[in-house]
Amino acid sequence: MNKREIAQTITASRKSDPGTEGIAFAPINIALCKYWGKRDELINLPVTSSLSISLRPLGTKTTVRIAKGVDRLVLNDREMPQECQTSQRVTEYLDLFRPDPHTAFHIESVTNVPIAAGLASSASGFAALALALDKLFGWELDSLSLSILARLGSGSASRSVFDGFVEWHAGEDPNGMDCYAERLPCEWPEFRVALVEISSEQKRVSSRTAMARTVRTSKLYQGWPARACADLEELKAGITERDIVRVGSVAESNALAMHATMLDSRPAVLYWKPETIKAIEKIWAIREAGSTLYFTMDAGPNIKLLFDERDSTLVEDEFAPRSIITPFFA
Ligand code: PMV
């Protein structure tokens, strides 16, 4: 099935009773065990399962209305040009749900994600849009179906449908009907994430391109699926025990392994800046001195610190982060 057929299959059995508008919020998320590589690029099916933490209150609030004419996207009070990449991606996504070719949608999105922190806001953007469409059409879909719909917009959006720790199951079905995310039944009030901005420069290689290139050209990537699978199991055990050392060390190592596969690609992909390395060395020095501070990174130079609340003052003093998130007290 293609994306539209999947969207239609999911919504077909539901009543459709469009109201005047649908409004929804979805948080951003960062992966502790990364989604790196697709087994199906057309419908965003990952090679491996992944695990993330949602960072509410950071995220996107979206309002969607049915309109006549052409789609309009207003992002943080700015009308986006129709030909820009963001508008095009949103319009392509809306095509999956358009009852007839003459129906247009007006979308208003407000995001409080610090753009410069290099956090892909597309995950919260597509999750919020899927949730808002569900409200607009009155489908009342279950959260697993909503996760699949969000995934059709952007892979990691499947995880942003939930708060807390979230596992995205890779599944086996070629149509991806078993490829959705689920919240893990675990609260960890002392868990903290800090966003440390290293550079706000626009990246030259998108995560989509880097991911595809790695799968295609990196020999190291052959070892990634087994590695990610083992990391995921260990992370889940660490989360159940609320063990910051176990969770932090697996997450950090998983991120470094992902970057190793990027470096092994041809041409190589390197997102790090000199300041990224300085920050990593600082984290390691702080850890040697006895604090339980770890990091993860995504397709960019910025660092996300993972720690227990007792190290909050240390993190504030040493890194002056853009924000410290308390995922279980949003
Ligand atoms: O969903 P995408 O295409 O933005 O890819 C996300 C890839 C990483 O952020 C690097 C890893 C992840 O699991 O979020």
Side-chain angles (χ1 to χ4, degrees):
M1 287 196 278
N2 63 28
K3 278 187 185 176
R4 190 169 156 89
E5 286 160 351
I6 293 168
Q8 309 264 301
T9 303
I10 287 176
T11 55
S13 61
R14 314 299 302 173
K15 67 178 167 55
S16 176
D17 181 17
T20 49
E21 62 180 22
I23 305 178
F25 174 87
I28 55 167
N29 74 78
I30 53 156
L32 305 179
C33 179
K34 306 294 181 188
Y35 148 51
W36 195 241
K38 300 184 197 196
R39 69 173 196 277
D40 186 322
E41 296 198 358
L42 295 177
I43 56 172
N44 293 339
L45 299 182
V47 172
T48 62
S49 299
S50 59
L51 192 152
S52 63
I53 176 84
S54 287
L55 303 184
R56 193 184 279 261
L58 296 182
T60 307
K61 182 180 171 191
T62 291
T63 304
V64 52
R65 297 186 185 89
I66 289 185
K68 289 264 176 294
V70 289
D71 294 338
R72 277 180 60 202
L73 171 65
V74 177
L75 196 53
N76 287 346
D77 290 330
R78 238 188 82 214
E79 174 108 31
M80 303 300 286
Q82 262 171 297
E83 58 291 347
C84 82
Q85 212 189 3
T86 310
S87 297
Q88 304 250 320
R89 268 185 87 181
V90 168
T91 286
E92 269 171 37
Y93 187 68
L94 292 169
D95 285 344
L96 309 180
F97 306 100
R98 236 179 272 285
D100 63 77
H102 306 293
T103 303
F105 295 95
H106 286 182
I107 313 287
E108 256 179 70
S109 276
V110 180
T111 176
N112 60 4
V113 180
I115 305 280
L119 286 155
S121 44
S122 66
S124 68
F126 280 108
L129 187 50
L131 296 171
L133 286 163
D134 179 63
K135 299 236 170 80
L136 174 74
F137 286 109
W139 296 319
E140 297 181 351
L141 288 166
D142 59 74
S143 47
L144 302 188
S145 303
L146 289 167
S147 174
I148 294 180
L149 292 188
R151 192 198 80 221
L152 300 177
S154 156
S156 52
S158 65
R159 301 186 306 233
S160 273
V161 168
F162 304 93
D163 282 303
F165 290 108
V166 178
E167 180 177 356
W168 173 17
H169 306 282
E172 288 173 357
D173 177 9
N175 292 318
M177 288 306 185
D178 56 358
C179 180
Y180 48 73
E182 258 182 311
R183 182 173 182 164
L184 298 180
C186 171
E187 300 280 315
W188 187 349
E190 299 81 17
F191 191 78
R192 297 286 180 275
V193 180
L195 312 179
V196 179
E197 184 186 332
I198 302 288
S199 163
S200 56
E201 219 175 81
Q202 182 83 27
K203 54 186 173 197
R204 267 169 286 172
V205 185
S206 71
S207 60
R208 187 182 283 210
T209 304
M211 204 185 268
R213 189 187 296 168
T214 305
V215 175
R216 214 176 48 246
T217 65
S218 161
K219 293 216 169 51
L220 265 188
Y221 187 80
Q222 290 167 9
W224 174 260
R227 167 68 200 264
C229 192
D231 285 354
L232 185 88
E233 288 315 311
E234 191 165 359
L235 269 175
K236 286 206 281 189
I239 289 170
T240 306
E241 293 160 6
R242 298 192 196 174
D243 181 342
I244 189 68
V245 174
R246 200 163 178 196
V247 168
S249 52
V250 178
E252 184 174 302
S253 180
N254 181 273
L256 291 172
M258 174 181 75
H259 282 273
T261 66
M262 296 185 203
L263 289 173
D264 185 46
S265 301
R266 294 195 198 177
V269 180
L270 174 63
Y271 287 113
W272 302 17
K273 301 279 176 203
E275 294 75 21
T276 310
I277 296 173
K278 278 197 197 125
I280 292 176
E281 284 176 338
K282 190 167 167 179
I283 294 164
W284 288 343
I286 290 174
R287 213 153 68 213
E288 265 177 38
S291 295
T292 44
L293 183 61
Y294 296 88
F295 70 90
T296 185
M297 295 177 66
D298 291 288
N302 298 307
I303 298 259
K304 291 104 186 190
L305 298 173
L306 311 169
F307 55 101
D308 182 276
E309 67 162 340
R310 63 176 176 265
D311 287 317
S312 294
T313 313
L314 170 94
V315 167
E316 295 264 16
D317 293 349
E318 295 289 341
F319 294 92
R322 268 192 161 257
S323 43
I324 293 188
I325 318 293
T326 56
F328 295 92
F329 291 106

